């Protein structure tokens, strides 16, 4: 079995291959070719949780094990740790162990890229990111590498964090311009970008309710019923697309708190299969994650 660290795992998952692999996995899951039960969540004492996410296809299977310890900063350790085990479905032979947080970050960003590709009226050249964590960094890299986005605004409650994020981003991508902004400037900047993406654990919506019709709003960070990044007014004014419908029904706090009409919510597999007739205003995308996306990443990483 090959064991890959974070940098090696990232190298194995270029977005040009990962995005179509996510699209394929979405269709495979929809037609029953991928079996993936809801993730198992096991509390660890007071501040931790173990997440287990298996998925099986005819070619390969994966199991992602992730631990989340919110107070790990005091131990000088990352809050999220884990791995993805990839094995042959016919024999059980282990192919690889991938870095779990890296797989999660890159496949989540790839789902966002796929959603933009399917739903937006044109490829974006500008974006506003709300948040400065690992997912925000992955999304910034993904937007630049996949779409060639050249102008990014980065919002944070901490001016220092936003500035540091932009400085690091410019070092990785000299061709892109990155500008830190405060929370008070989000509404104004949303009027001049192609896409706004929230990557937070907010309990109060952080994306403005009023956006230009061609500006796409994407909620990524909120993953519990009590969390919300997307305002109810925006959700009721636009079509809503999710990555995984069953997961969104009990994890997408934005949609739950807005009392959304689930009969009108579509998933990415449906959009891939049937297309979308109206892109004005651009539908909202809400993602919650799924083990099938980890399997898609494993296919790319191992050449399955």
């Amino acid at each position: 079995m090959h064991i890959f660290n974070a940098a090696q795992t990232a190298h194995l998952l270029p977005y040009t291959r990962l995005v179509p692999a996510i699209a394929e996995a979405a269709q495979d899951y929809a037609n029953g070719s991928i079996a993936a039960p809801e993730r198992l969540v096991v509390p660890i004492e007071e501040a931790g949780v173990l997440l287990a996410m298996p998925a099986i296809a005819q070619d390969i299977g994966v199991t992602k094990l992730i631990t989340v310890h919110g107070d790990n900063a005091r131990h000088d350790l990352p809050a999220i740790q884990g791995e993805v085990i990839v094995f042959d479905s016919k024999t059980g032979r282990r192919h690889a162990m991938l870095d779990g947080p890296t797989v999660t970050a890159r496949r989540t960003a790839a789902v966002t890229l796929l959603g933009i590709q399917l739903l937006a009226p044109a490829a974006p050249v500008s974006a506003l990111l709300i948040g400065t964590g690992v997912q925000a960094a992955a999304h910034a890299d993904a937007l630049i590498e996949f779409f060639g986005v050249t102008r990014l605004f980065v919002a944070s409650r901490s001016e220092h964090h936003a500035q540091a994020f932009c400085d690091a981003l410019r070092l990785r991508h000299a061709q892109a311009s990155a500008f830190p902004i405060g929370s008070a400037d989000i509404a104004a900047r949303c009027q001049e970008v192609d896409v706004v993406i929230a990557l937070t654990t907010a309990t109060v919506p952080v994306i403005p309710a009023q956006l230009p019709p061609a500006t796409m709003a994407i909620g990524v960070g909120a993953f519990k019923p009590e969390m919300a990044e997307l305002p109810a007014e925006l959700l009721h004014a636009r079509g809503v697309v999710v990555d995984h419908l069953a997961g969104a029904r009990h994890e997408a706090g934005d949609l739950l708190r807005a009392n959304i009409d689930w009969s009108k919510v579509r998933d990415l597999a449906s959009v891939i299969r049937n297309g979308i007739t109206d892109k004005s205003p651009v539908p909202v995308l809400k993602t919650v994650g799924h083990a099938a996306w980890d399997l898609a990443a494993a296919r790319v990483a191992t050449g399955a």
Side-chain angles (χ1 to χ4, degrees):
M1 179 174 68
H2 299 285
I3 299 175
F4 299 100
N5 62 24
Q8 293 167 330
T9 299
H11 179 73
L12 292 170
L13 298 174
Y15 289 110
T16 52
R17 294 178 57 206
L18 192 50
V19 172
I22 295 287
E24 180 183 1
Q27 296 173 87
D28 287 348
Y29 179 73
N31 66 30
S33 299
I34 292 177
E38 294 302 311
R39 64 186 173 198
L40 178 65
V41 181
V42 183
I44 305 175
E45 297 181 340
E46 292 184 3
V49 65
L50 168 69
L51 306 176
M53 301 172 66
I56 305 291
Q58 289 188 344
D59 50 349
I60 63 169
V62 300
T63 298
K64 182 166 74 176
L65 294 175
I66 294 288
T67 53
V68 183
H69 288 79
D71 61 350
N72 260 6
R74 64 190 179 95
H75 301 297
D76 197 27
L77 291 170
I80 301 175
Q81 302 172 84
E83 53 280 321
V84 176
I85 302 297
V86 189
F87 58 90
D88 182 89
S89 293
K90 292 182 175 61
T91 66
R93 182 172 64 89
R94 270 49 177 175
H95 289 311
M97 183 170 74
L98 306 171
D99 181 72
T102 302
V103 170
T104 299
R106 292 185 75 85
R107 61 81 151 152
T108 302
V111 171
T112 293
L113 297 177
L114 176 62
I116 295 172
Q117 192 176 62
L118 292 170
L119 302 172
V125 297
S126 60
L128 190 158
L129 305 181
I130 305 174
T132 56
V134 171
Q135 279 293 352
H139 275 70
D141 292 339
L143 290 166
I144 294 168
E145 294 169 16
F146 191 79
F147 286 121
V149 167
T150 56
R151 190 162 174 257
L152 291 107
F153 296 98
V154 179
S156 173
R157 289 177 295 182
S158 165
E159 181 179 343
H160 170 73
H161 288 165
Q163 184 64 62
F165 184 98
C166 290
D167 291 344
L169 184 61
R170 284 190 289 265
L171 288 176
R172 298 197 304 276
H173 304 282
Q175 76 276 24
S177 299
F179 307 96
I181 65 172
S183 300
D185 297 323
I186 290 175
R189 292 301 184 185
C190 280
Q191 304 303 309
E192 55 186 271
V193 295
D194 298 317
V195 59
V196 54
I197 307 173
L199 306 121
T200 75
T201 55
T203 56
V204 177
V206 293
I207 293 179
Q210 301 297 325
L211 296 176
T215 297
M216 184 174 177
I218 304 172
V220 177
F223 62 95
K224 294 181 180 179
E226 64 270 21
M227 296 177 177
E229 297 174 308
L230 297 158
E233 183 179 345
L234 182 66
L235 291 168
H236 287 294
R238 301 193 177 198
V240 177
V241 176
V242 299
D243 62 334
H244 177 230
L245 191 54
R249 282 181 175 273
H250 62 83
E251 292 183 4
D254 325 69
L255 278 58
L256 295 169
R257 289 170 58 172
N259 292 315
I260 204 75
D261 182 353
W262 288 100
S263 68
K264 297 180 180 179
V265 177
R266 299 178 61 186
D267 62 15
L268 287 175
S270 170
V271 175
I272 294 168
R273 185 170 57 250
N274 301 313
I276 191 161
T277 57
D278 189 1
K279 293 187 178 182
S280 183
V282 184
V284 171
L285 176 66
K286 171 62 186 176
T287 70
V288 294
H290 192 253
W293 317 151
D294 298 317
L295 189 143
R299 282 173 167 168
V300 173
T302 62

